[in-house]
Amino acid sequence: MNNLLPRLPFADWIDDGVDWLVDTFGTVFDGISAFLKGTVEGAVTLMDLVPSILLAVIFAVIAYFLSTRGIALFTLIGLLFIDYLGYWYPMLQMLALVLTSVAIALLIGIPLGIWGSQQATVKKIINPILDLMQTMPAFVYLLPAIFFFNIGVVPGVVASVIFSMPPTIRLTMLGIEQVPKDLIEATEAFGSKTSQRLLKVQIPLAKSTIMAGVNQSIMLSLSMVVIASMVGAPGLGEEVYRSVTQLKTGKGFETGLSIVIVAIILDRITQHAGNRKNKKVAK
Amino acid sequence: MSDQEMTKKIEVQGTTKIFGKNTKRAAQLLNEGKSKKEILQATGATVGVKNASFDVYDGEIFVIMGLSGSGKSTLVRMLNRLIDPTMGKILIDGKDIVEMNKEQLREVRRKKIGMVFQNFALFPHKTIQENTEYGLEIQGIAKETRLEKAKESLRLVGLAGYEEQYPNQLSGGMQQRVGLARALANDPDVLLMDEAFSALDPLIRKDMQDELLQLHHDMGKTIIFITHDLDEALRIGDRIALMKDGDIVQIGTPEEILMSPSNEYVERFVEDVDLSKVLTAWHIMKKADTVQVDRGARVALRLMKKLSISSIYVVDKGNRLLGAVTAQDALTATEEGKLLEDVLIRDITKVSQDTVLTDLFDTVSTASVPVAVVDEREHLQGIIIRGALIGALAGNGQFINNDPVATGVNEVTDHE
Ligand SMILES: Nc1ncnc2c1ncn2[C@@H]1O[C@H](COP(=O)(O)OP(=O)(O)OP(=O)(O)O)[C@@H](O)[C@H]1O
Ligand SMILES: [Mg+2]
C-alpha cells in the first residue's frame, strides 16, 4: 500500500528550506541573536549588581504596588527562601529569560491580536497558525531555533517566544471582539477614527482579557525553561534538568519548588494587575 | 411650526437596505414586487428597509414606529451610515451622505448628528463627565472647553453633580440622561434616538418624554425618534412614520394616523391605543352658543328659550369669555332692570384645547355648566358636554372632531 504512492520527502524539503534561510539571512539571524543574548545577559548582570536581599525587597515593593500586601509578602518570603536554598543566580537567569521572551511575545502578540480583531482575513490566517503553534510539541521549536541561533540562551528565548505567544494573541482578539456592539456603534456615531475607537474604548475595555492572555503567556514561558535548558539555556531549568539526568531527587525537588515559587509570584501579580484596572467596569 | 418656515433637514430618497449575500438578485426581486419573505426564501438575503422615501423637516420630532423586525433600527442607522444603504440617497442639508468619503462622513457625524441608544451604550470605564465629553474629545477640542460644554449639557438633563460617578453607579433613567447629554454636548442639529426610552420603566419613561419635549422646545433640534410603542409615538411625535416588514406604510401626524389609518395594518396597530391619553379637549368640544354682554339680559333670555338651554356663555365684543348666565338669573335681571353683567357667574371652569381626556374627567364631572375651552387669550373656542366625553372614550366616532372647521364659536344674534 505504501509503495503505491511515492513517499514525498517533506523532511528533506524542510531541511533544505532551513538551510536556505540560514544561508540567505545569516547576518540577520546573527544580529537578532546578538541582541537577544545581550538583553538577557545584560538583565542578569544588572540584577546581580543588587544584593539579593535588597532585590527581594524591591520586587516585593513592586508587587505591593501592582497587587496586594499579601502577594507582596509572599514575594519577599518566597524570594528569600530561594536565596536561602542557594539558587539565587540561576533564578535570576531564569527570570531574565522568561521576562525577555514574554516581553517579545507581547510586543509581537498584542499588535497582531489587535490587527486580527479588526480584519476578518487576518484573523482567518492567524487562527490556524495559532492552532498549529499550540498543538506542536514544544521540543520541535528547539530544532529550527538551534539552526538559526546556535546553542545557548538565544534559541531558548526564541522557542519560548513562539510557544508563549498564542494566548496573548488569542485573548487580545477575544477581548477586543467582546466589547459590546452598541459601544462600538456609539464610538462610530460620534465620528471616531479607527485609532480613537481602539485606544479610547476597545483596548481599555479589553484590558482584563488581554491581561489574562499575558498571564497565560508568562506561565507557558515558565513551563519552557526546562526544555530550553536542553539547548543550553542557563538558569533554574538547567538545574532541574541536571537533577533529573543525574537522578538527584532532593535537588530536583528544591529547584522545582523554586520555579513554582517564581511562577506563583508572577501569576498572582499579573492576575491582580488585570483585574484591578477594571474594578469600576465590573457590573 | 408654520408651513412657510419648514425647511427640509433630511431627505430620504428611495433608500433600500438588503442584508446578506446575493443583494443584487434580491434587489431585482424587490423591484419585481416580491415580498420580504419570498426574497428570503429565494436568495437568503434579508430585506431590512424597502425603498423608503420621506422628508424630515428642520426642528420637528419625527417618530418611526413599527413592530419588532420591521426595519426601524436599520432605517435610522442609515441616516448616519452606521449601516450603508444598498440603494438610494440620504440628503442631510441637501448633501448626499451616501456619496461621502470617510473623512466627510466623520465630519457629519461629529458636527451634525448625535445618537442616543436603547441600552444607553455608555462607556463603562469612563466617568459621567468623560462619557459626556467623548464626542468633543475625539474632535481634539481643548480640555477646558469640553469640560465646560459637558458640564452644561449634564446640567440640561438634570445631572449636575454626578460628573465623577461611573455609569454603573447610576439608575437606568439617569444613565439614559447621560446618553442624551453625551449626544447634546456636540450640539448637533439632528438627534437620532433608537428606542431610547424602551429600557426604562413606565414612570421614568414618561418623565423622560416630558423632558425630551421640553428640551426640544428649548433647543429646537430635529429629532428622529424610534419606538415600538404607539402611546409614546403619539405623545411626542410631530409626525409618525409607520413601518411594516421594511416598508413605510403611512406617514402622518398623530391624528391622521389615529383617525384615518391608511390600511388594515395601521388600523390594527392603533386599535387598542388608550384614547383617553391621546384625544384632547379639542377633539370633543362642541360649538358654543354665546351672547355678547351688551345685548342685555332680555336678549340672553330669549336666546336660551329659542335654543332650549338653561344657561348661556357671555362674551365681550372681542369674543373674550366673561362668564355664563342661567335662565333663572336672566329672568330676575329683566324683572329688576339689572344689567347682564350683574348676574354673571364668573368662576366657570376653563380648560385649554390640548388638555387630554384623562385630565378632563374630574373637571367635567363636577362642573355645573358645560366646561369652556379657551385659548391663551381667553377666547372661547368651544364647550365640552359630559355626553361627548363619555361617547368619545367609548370610541364612538360621532363625538370626535376630525375637522377644525366644525368647531368654534357660534355667535348667536337675535334678528327679530
Ligand atoms: N446585520 C444584520 N444582518 C442581517 N439581517 C439583519 C441585520 N440587521 C437587521 N437585520 C434584519 O433586518 C430586519 C430589520 O431589522 P431591524 O433591526 O431594523 O428591526 P427593528 O424594527 O429595529 O426591530 P426591533 O424593534 O426588534 O429593534 C430584520 O428582519 C432583521 O432580522
Ligand atoms: Mg431596533
Side-chain angles (χ1 to χ4, degrees):
Chain A
M1 175 78 176
N2 274 342
N3 300 334
L4 289 179
L5 285 171
R7 169 76 162 81
L8 290 177
F10 281 119
D12 292 347
W13 289 349
I14 289 172
D15 289 347
D16 288 349
V18 169
D19 285 346
W20 178 81
L21 281 172
V22 172
D23 288 346
T24 322
F25 297 108
T27 41
V28 178
F29 289 126
D30 286 349
I32 295 174
S33 184
F35 171 74
L36 292 179
K37 196 166 168 0
T39 311
V40 176
E41 285 174 358
V44 175
T45 318
L46 204 69
M47 288 192 284
D48 201 37
L49 284 179
V50 187
S52 58
I53 297 180
L54 182 59
L55 193 61
V57 172
I58 292 175
F59 279 134
V61 170
I62 295 174
Y64 179 72
F65 280 113
L66 289 178
S67 57
T68 65
R69 198 178 303 181
I71 295 170
L73 197 65
F74 180 83
T75 305
L76 185 66
I77 296 172
L79 290 179
L80 291 177
F81 182 64
I82 293 172
D83 190 25
Y84 170 76
L85 290 179
Y87 299 116
W88 185 255
Y89 192 73
M91 190 276 291
L92 290 186
Q93 287 177 314
M94 178 189 77
L95 201 61
L97 178 119
V98 168
L99 293 183
T100 307
S101 26
V102 169
I104 295 169
L106 300 190
L107 235 50
I108 302 171
I110 292 179
L112 260 182
I114 294 173
W115 193 25
S117 72
Q118 298 304 299
Q119 309 254 322
T121 30
V122 175
K123 193 181 168 186
K124 265 189 210 144
I125 297 167
I126 289 180
N127 264 333
I129 298 178
L130 291 182
D131 291 338
L132 191 79
M133 279 164 84
Q134 280 185 309
T135 40
M136 185 77 84
F139 288 94
V140 179
Y141 296 130
L142 292 176
L143 295 169
I146 292 173
F147 272 107
F148 296 131
F149 301 107
N150 227 326
I151 275 199
V153 74
V154 176
V157 172
V158 171
S160 161
V161 166
I162 299 172
F163 189 64
S164 67
M165 198 156 43
T168 294
I169 300 180
R170 269 194 214 282
L171 286 164
T172 302
M173 283 200 288
L174 182 72
I176 291 179
E177 279 162 7
Q178 268 177 347
V179 173
K181 184 170 165 280
D182 60 342
L183 295 188
I184 310 288
E185 278 195 325
T187 65
E188 294 289 344
F190 283 102
S192 307
K193 294 179 187 161
T194 309
S195 59
Q196 290 173 324
R197 161 164 56 78
L198 277 168
L199 293 175
K200 291 183 193 292
V201 177
Q202 286 185 291
I203 294 175
L205 286 175
K207 208 181 247 164
S208 60
T209 313
I210 296 176
M211 279 308 286
V214 172
N215 175 281
Q216 286 191 25
S217 286
I218 292 178
M219 294 302 112
L220 285 183
S221 172
L222 268 168
S223 74
M224 269 298 278
V225 294
V226 177
I227 296 169
S229 71
M230 293 176 184
V231 293
L236 274 177
E238 187 192 9
E239 303 290 329
V240 173
Y241 184 54
R242 203 177 298 145
S243 317
V244 173
T245 50
Q246 296 171 2
L247 291 175
K248 290 185 176 164
T249 316
K251 195 183 168 204
F253 183 76
E254 277 179 3
T255 47
L257 186 66
S258 302
I259 293 182
V260 169
I261 290 173
V262 175
I264 293 176
I265 292 172
L266 291 177
D267 177 57
R268 290 302 130 89
I269 292 177
T270 46
Q271 247 182 38
H272 226 87
N275 293 337
R276 194 185 55 148
K277 296 240 171 59
N278 279 304
K279 204 163 40 188
K280 299 256 167 48
V281 178
K283 198 175 172 178
Chain B
M1 193 171 28
S2 68
D3 290 34
Q4 57 265 36
E5 62 183 354
M6 291 208 295
T7 50
K8 288 177 184 171
K9 190 74 192 172
I10 301 175
E11 295 160 71
V12 177
Q13 299 175 350
T15 305
T16 295
K17 176 67 195 182
I18 299 167
F19 291 105
K21 293 171 187 156
N22 270 328
T23 53
K24 281 225 177 80
R25 174 95 188 98
Q28 205 180 335
L29 291 175
L30 199 62
N31 281 338
E32 290 165 16
K34 293 280 194 300
S35 77
K36 178 172 171 167
K37 217 181 194 169
E38 289 167 333
I39 293 172
L40 182 64
Q41 275 163 1
T43 65
T46 308
V47 179
V49 171
K50 212 188 274 182
N51 196 16
S53 294
F54 58 89
D55 297 328
V56 179
Y57 299 107
D58 196 14
E60 83 173 326
I61 301 186
F62 188 85
V63 173
I64 301 171
M65 187 177 65
L67 298 175
S68 187
S70 56
K72 309 180 294 290
S73 297
T74 308
L75 181 55
V76 81
R77 275 167 178 68
M78 289 196 287
L79 300 182
N80 62 355
R81 265 185 63 193
L82 284 180
I83 294 178
D84 275 314
T86 312
M87 289 181 287
K89 290 183 182 184
I90 292 165
L91 276 58
I92 296 182
D93 288 329
K95 291 198 199 89
D96 188 358
I97 62 160
V98 181
E99 297 293 316
M100 286 183 180
N101 62 26
K102 271 190 174 172
E103 192 65 38
Q104 294 166 317
L105 180 63
R106 205 179 293 139
E107 213 43 34
V108 169
R109 287 174 176 174
R110 288 178 172 189
K111 302 276 159 65
K112 279 203 176 149
I113 305 182
M115 192 161 186
V116 184
F117 297 84
Q118 175 167 9
N119 293 312
F120 323 136
L122 300 179
F123 305 124
H125 60 300
K126 291 178 182 284
T127 61
I128 301 308
Q129 173 75 28
E130 290 164 349
N131 263 285
T132 313
E133 277 180 19
Y134 184 81
L136 301 164
E137 184 188 342
I138 58 171
Q139 295 179 37
I141 287 169
K143 183 88 194 150
E144 303 87 68
T145 324
R146 80 192 194 226
L147 192 90
E148 210 170 284
K149 285 193 174 170
K151 274 228 157 74
E152 169 63 15
S153 61
L154 282 171
R155 197 189 54 73
L156 272 176
V157 300
L159 278 186
Y162 288 90
E163 288 83 358
E164 297 314 314
Q165 307 265 43
Y166 281 84
N168 64 357
Q169 295 173 291
L170 268 51
S171 71
M174 286 156 102
Q175 290 189 40
Q176 193 55 301
R177 279 164 214 258
V178 179
L180 195 54
R182 181 175 64 177
L184 290 174
N186 280 20
D187 195 25
D189 302 347
V190 179
L191 271 184
L192 306 178
M193 305 182 72
D194 187 2
E195 307 224 17
F197 302 154
S198 299
L200 307 176
D201 66 53
L203 282 178
I204 310 255
R205 190 165 171 175
K206 183 153 180 297
D207 285 348
M208 291 294 284
Q209 291 167 359
D210 289 339
E211 261 171 65
L212 184 69
L213 286 173
Q214 187 61 47
L215 279 171
H216 176 251
H217 180 262
D218 297 343
M219 309 178 82
K221 302 208 178 293
T222 308
I223 298 176
I224 318 272
F225 192 99
I226 307 251
T227 180
H228 56 243
D229 176 5
L230 182 62
D231 284 335
E232 185 165 71
L234 295 169
R235 251 192 116 213
I236 66 172
D238 289 322
R239 284 191 307 145
I240 298 171
L242 221 116
M243 293 190 75
K244 185 201 177 200
D245 293 342
D247 266 324
I248 296 185
V249 287
Q250 186 173 7
I251 299 181
T253 62
E255 277 161 44
E256 283 164 2
I257 298 268
L258 212 54
M259 299 309 165
S260 45
S262 71
N263 63 22
E264 214 177 308
Y265 175 75
V266 184
E267 213 162 81
R268 276 226 320 281
F269 214 99
V270 301
E271 80 190 352
D272 50 19
V273 61
D274 184 354
L275 286 173
S276 68
K277 287 191 187 128
V278 178
L279 296 178
T280 63
W282 182 88
H283 285 107
I284 58 163
M285 66 191 185
K286 287 243 164 324
K287 286 179 193 177
D289 296 310
T290 63
V291 61
Q292 275 188 19
V293 68
D294 54 359
R295 309 244 162 186
R298 204 173 295 273
V299 175
L301 194 58
R302 269 182 81 117
L303 280 173
M304 282 185 267
K305 272 195 186 135
K306 204 173 112 190
L307 299 164
S308 333
I309 49 179
S310 59
S311 62
I312 193 165
Y313 282 109
V314 181
V315 295
D316 70 5
K317 274 215 168 66
N319 198 33
R320 271 189 30 198
L321 181 64
L322 298 176
V325 65
T326 61
Q328 186 59 48
D329 289 345
L331 184 62
T332 323
T334 351
E335 281 163 0
E336 296 174 7
K338 283 186 186 162
L339 289 173
L340 196 48
E341 267 171 307
D342 299 331
V343 292
L344 269 188
I345 307 169
R346 289 180 189 273
D347 63 335
I348 48 174
T349 322
K350 300 170 200 166
V351 295
S352 79
Q353 64 173 11
D354 45 341
T355 315
V356 292
L357 298 198
T358 347
D359 300 336
L360 276 177
F361 288 138
D362 283 353
T363 345
V364 172
S365 57
T366 54
S368 53
V369 289
V371 170
V373 181
V374 294
D375 67 10
E376 58 274 19
R377 280 169 299 158
E378 296 276 296
H379 288 166
L380 185 61
Q381 311 263 299
I383 56 166
I384 294 173
I385 55 170
R386 212 171 301 171
L389 176 62
I390 294 163
L393 285 178
N396 188 337
Q398 169 191 346
F399 294 102
I400 301 172
N401 305 319
N402 288 320
D403 176 8
V405 193
T407 65
V409 179
N410 209 10
E411 225 248 290
V412 189
T413 41
D414 186 36
H415 292 294
E416 284 167 79

